[in-house]
Amino acid sequence: MSKLKYLIVAGLLRIAGCLSLANAQRIGKFVGLLMWKFPTQPREVTDINLSICFPELSQPDHAAMTKESLKNTGMTMLEVPLMWEWPVEKCLDLIRETEGLELIDEAMSDGSGLILLAPHLGNWELAGLFFSSRYKMAALYSPPNMPEFEDYMIRVRGRLGSELVRGDRRGLGRLTSILREGGVAGILPDQSPRGKGNAFAPFFGMEVKTMTLVSKLMQRTGAKALVTYAERLENAEGFRVVVRQTEPDLDSKDAVTATTALNRTIEQCIRNIPGQYQWEYKRMRHRPAGEVNPYKPDRIC
């Protein structure tokens, strides 16, 4: 049954990969509108997250941002098959503008490794392809729920030579080696971490579980860090890749100080294009002991 499910999903990805960017985004917007129109879980979670993170919004502005966010979520869903199935050169041709690439050259000029933080903002799959086309790069990933899908995912994401490493002890050891060699490591920094490598830090004012991995890697390897995202341009015109400085104290040995800087870095990027963030993710579900889970108000953490 699992094999059949994989074949169906892989087939759908290949079919969707035949679309143009304009058609993929058009269909994606429609999917997003359906998620917004009906009482779906993505709409419910997006509403909760936006209420927490932007309490100053009026009701009409809140509704408009929820709608915009879900439209972008739908577009992201339909863009992924393009990034995985299109030839790499065709994907990279979608990048119309860049900003801040000189920061990477400056950060690596002394032979230091570089951690590229890529929040779930805009098209992060395209950002990964772009940087793996320019640098010796490794990216941290979590195995998919469908085991048969893992080989496919590794192949399409690594077709420019990017090395995908699991987020386990062995994988983190490999990531450390790559950074010590002066390479680039890509990390999605806004996921709720598992295990002991975390601390509670404010994210848009709410204390949430946040990874300490970034600060630990910086301390162990001397690597520097920057944050990046691929902003979706209007009217299917393509994308703009942006690179920015991180907040101070990201490499602090104090876990709360470091994770606060990490979340503040992510926040600053999100505030630039809030409609393109993945708000349907339950980022605030892990709270300090005794606090309420906002997605299940009757449950105390």
Side-chain angles (χ1 to χ4, degrees), residues 130-196:
F130 176 71
F131 290 110
S132 64
S133 74
R134 299 168 68 94
Y135 306 100
K136 177 184 177 182
M137 186 171 175
L140 196 66
Y141 80 101
S142 297
N145 294 328
M146 195 186 306
E148 296 86 353
F149 198 69
E150 186 170 6
D151 288 343
Y152 169 79
M153 186 177 72
I154 291 174
R155 177 173 57 80
V156 296
R157 284 181 170 173
R159 60 195 191 274
L160 278 177
S162 177
E163 182 177 348
L164 270 72
V165 297
R166 283 193 177 203
D168 54 21
R169 184 184 297 273
R170 183 176 178 183
L172 294 178
R174 177 60 184 148
L175 210 62
T176 298
S177 296
I178 289 169
L179 289 171
R180 284 176 174 161
E181 294 167 1
V184 178
I187 295 178
L188 297 168
D190 51 346
Q191 295 174 312
S192 190
R194 301 175 182 177
K196 299 179 180 179

Side-chain angles (χ1 to χ4, degrees), residues 271-289:
R271 290 184 185 278
N272 291 322
I273 47 170
Q276 294 192 32
Y277 188 61
Q278 189 179 328
W279 290 112
E280 78 279 4
Y281 177 61
K282 296 180 180 181
R283 180 69 179 87
M284 287 78 156
R285 68 185 185 276
H286 294 136
R287 307 286 321 288

Side-chain angles (χ1 to χ4, degrees), residues 42-56:
R43 175 172 178 169
E44 179 185 2
V45 174
T46 298
D47 273 332
I48 292 170
N49 284 337
L50 291 179
S51 294
I52 293 169
C53 298
F54 297 96
E56 72 279 7

Side-chain angles (χ1 to χ4, degrees), residues 216-251:
K216 289 177 179 177
L217 285 172
M218 294 176 76
Q219 292 162 26
R220 291 172 187 167
T221 67
K224 298 168 186 175
L226 294 168
V227 63
T228 186
Y229 57 91
E231 177 182 357
R232 186 174 294 109
L233 302 177
E234 295 289 338
N235 303 317
E237 291 181 1
F239 298 85
R240 180 169 73 109
V241 172
V242 178
V243 179
R244 297 207 166 157
Q245 297 279 10
T246 58
E247 291 289 307
D249 298 322
L250 188 59
D251 60 348

Side-chain angles (χ1 to χ4, degrees), residues 84-100:
W84 287 3
E85 291 292 326
W86 278 12
V88 171
E89 295 76 13
K90 187 176 179 180
C91 295
L92 296 179
D93 282 345
L94 296 176
I95 298 172
R96 308 301 186 196
E97 306 171 23
T98 60
E99 176 188 325

